[in-house]
Amino acid sequence: MPRLVFLWTDAVMLLLVLGVTLYVWRMWRNPEARRPWRKAFREAPALCSALVLLAFGTVALLDSLHFRRALPAGEGQVQAYSPRAESVLDALLARQFEMREATYSRPLAWQGFAKQSLQVGGSTERGYPRLQHAGAHLADPATQWAPDVTRRALTGLAAGAVVALAIGAALAGARARAQRRSFGPSLRELLRNETDLPLRAAWLTLAAMALLAGPVIALMGHYHVLGTDRTGNDVLLQALKSVRTAFVIGTLATLATLPLAIVFGVVAGYFRGWVDDLIQYVYTTLSSVPNVLLIAACVLMVQAFIDQHPELFETGAERADVRLLLLCLVLGLTGWASLCRLLRAETLKVRELEYVQAATAFGVGPLRIMARHILPNVMHLVLITTVLEFSALILYEAVLSYVGVGVDPSMNSYGGMINLARSEMSRDPVVWWSFAAAFGFMVTLVLAANLFADGVRDAFDPRSRSFRARVLPAAGKGVP
């Protein structure tokens, strides 16, 4: 029986999932709270990007459930556990961990990237060595490789198509049950985009993800779909493991900014006077220092403390996890000034409204006014800024890891992959696949976060309005 391991970031991620679940449950029971989210999801880019973020979030969550395997123990012996902490994602990708090669290999290749001295018929020749794991099932890879790759890719594509059709049928069936109608009209309305929510766009997004994942899953057990790096590690495995780092940086660092920004912003806007001047002086001074230099200095101090106290960490995973958590805190404590400035300005406006003046006239205390009347009316700015900062912090991590002051080198991250690819891009021939994989995954995640942020901003900000033509259901057919 494995032993569960809870790293610091694992606990925070699980608490975050619990908080989001409770928020969704409360929102579902409150029509007023549900209305702006429904408005956000009526835009196809926001809904589709939310699905992409959900897929990335699922990968990050699977990589946040850690355990240690039980080691064989004899009779009367105390049960011992492996010193290496694994995640559920590691267990699912165990085959990719086992398929470690000697060095570089191209995507879907069966032979090495660089020529080596080979023994052929008793003589030494220069040639490309055969990979130890990729294509090992082929008796004659020179003739069998292309048909095998094609067959597996088409099989995975067919499986993805079946999943895509099943998703479309499930969406149409759920809509038919909700409206208590037959399946056929609901399916036609889905295909014609005659629904209140852009269900056709959502279905096409899920279908594209299924069609992409099908061939990858079919091939990854026998080939390196995105090649291997200098040490022979699978690049696709590194890209998937880096998703958790990006999510932890984006979410925890954003949440770390909220306490200081909300408290100082609301207090400065409500009390004004010398309190406002003092808080303005603090965040103006903080904003005058270049963020990258300030963050780099804080991270280096944290790293010096960790290096001087190795006895505080039992495993390398705990050490890397604490460094990641402290990096999130540093990013949060140095990035609260912009949100604080926005909340101060909004509070200055809200405090002059009639209901706040009436509460003051009736003798309601300042703390109660700020908590009951001002804070709920500035939370839309908090939500919008939180979503917008998510993608910016992911890019921050890439920059910091690129210059060597980001996450621990033993932890996978997109910045680390790009940093290691610097020398590879100057080789001849060029080793391009590590950089391309990190760039592709990071751009997809950041683009999805930005599109989702645009939809949230349009829905929650009363000053932002978007008018787009939509195909409405035909008369008498109703809405879902």
Side-chain angles (χ1 to χ4, degrees), residues 114-129:
K115 288 185 177 181
Q116 298 180 6
S117 298
L118 305 175
Q119 295 293 330
V120 180
S123 61
T124 302
E125 298 181 0
R126 295 288 294 176
Y128 297 101

Side-chain angles (χ1 to χ4, degrees), residues 169-183 186:
L171 288 175
R175 191 166 185 272
R177 286 193 300 272
Q179 296 182 338
R180 297 180 181 179
R181 345 170 25 189
S182 59
F183 178 81
S186 298

